[in-house]
Amino acid sequence: LPSASYKGNLDVAFVLDGSTSADEKELTTQAANLLDELSKMENLNVKASLTIFGGSEAILEDTELLDISDEKNIQDLKTKLIDPSYDKRNGRSGSNLQAGVEIANRHLNNDKMVDNEDKYMIILSDGAARQTVHCVHGVCGVFKRCGHCT
């Protein structure tokens, strides 16, 4: 990430492992701390999104890019990060990292106001991805949720 003196716009897509194999408390703490750091950087307009991937349920949570200079947006992202209801959800078993990356990449690509070199994807995972679902487009089955695939 750029230094605190950087001036401009920045998009950050957080991709968080919500599968049962990940230590989610440590990951959510890391993500929340980074959100706080980004919000305190001067002369920087930051938008952040959050995508939490699971397993058989590919996406457990997903937000669009939100302006984190708005305290409500930061609190909303943090609330989604620590939501205890994920612990009881079916579909967490397996790790569909591909689904999380595909969705986060879409968020970053959709923002035409920010230069590509000012877009970052931060993946917080145990790295044990073990589930993918391919469609005719060569990407994960998560697109069925938004109508990309039939």
Side-chain angles (χ1 to χ4, degrees):
L1 294 173
S3 70
S5 63
Y6 175 83
K7 293 180 173 129
N9 299 309
L10 188 69
D11 283 351
V12 181
F14 287 90
V15 180
L16 183 69
D17 189 341
S19 68
T20 53
S21 65
D23 180 357
E24 65 199 73
K25 288 187 174 133
E26 181 179 334
L27 296 178
T28 58
T29 299
Q30 291 172 354
N33 289 342
L34 187 51
L35 269 172
D36 285 335
E37 282 184 47
L38 288 168
S39 70
K40 293 174 186 167
M41 293 180 83
E42 295 179 14
N43 302 318
L44 189 60
N45 301 315
V46 181
K47 288 182 279 185
S49 67
L50 172 64
T51 303
I52 301 176
F53 66 90
S56 57
E57 183 177 343
I59 300 297
L60 301 174
E61 183 63 61
D62 183 45
T63 71
E64 296 296 323
L65 287 165
L66 302 171
D67 179 355
I68 63 170
S69 67
D70 182 336
E71 185 64 30
K72 181 189 175 304
N73 288 339
I74 285 190
Q75 289 310 314
D76 185 45
L77 289 168
K78 286 182 179 180
T79 298
K80 288 176 179 3
L81 277 169
I82 61 171
D83 185 347
S85 70
Y86 301 129
D87 294 340
K88 296 175 178 63
R89 277 175 81 172
N90 291 330
R92 287 185 64 213
S93 183
S95 292
N96 199 334
L97 173 62
Q98 179 185 355
V101 168
E102 294 284 347
I103 292 295
N105 196 44
R106 183 183 307 154
H107 292 316
L108 294 172
N109 287 335
N110 284 344
D111 188 354
K112 305 300 183 199
M113 302 301 289
V114 175
D115 294 332
N116 286 338
E117 62 266 14
D118 295 322
K119 296 179 181 187
Y120 296 87
M121 185 182 302
I122 298 174
I123 300 171
L124 299 162
S125 173
D126 62 4
R130 59 186 178 91
Q131 186 173 34
T132 59
V133 181
H134 293 283
C135 68
V136 296
H137 298 97
V139 294
C140 66
V142 71
F143 288 111
K144 291 179 184 175
R145 179 176 150 189
C146 69
H148 181 72
C149 296
T150 57

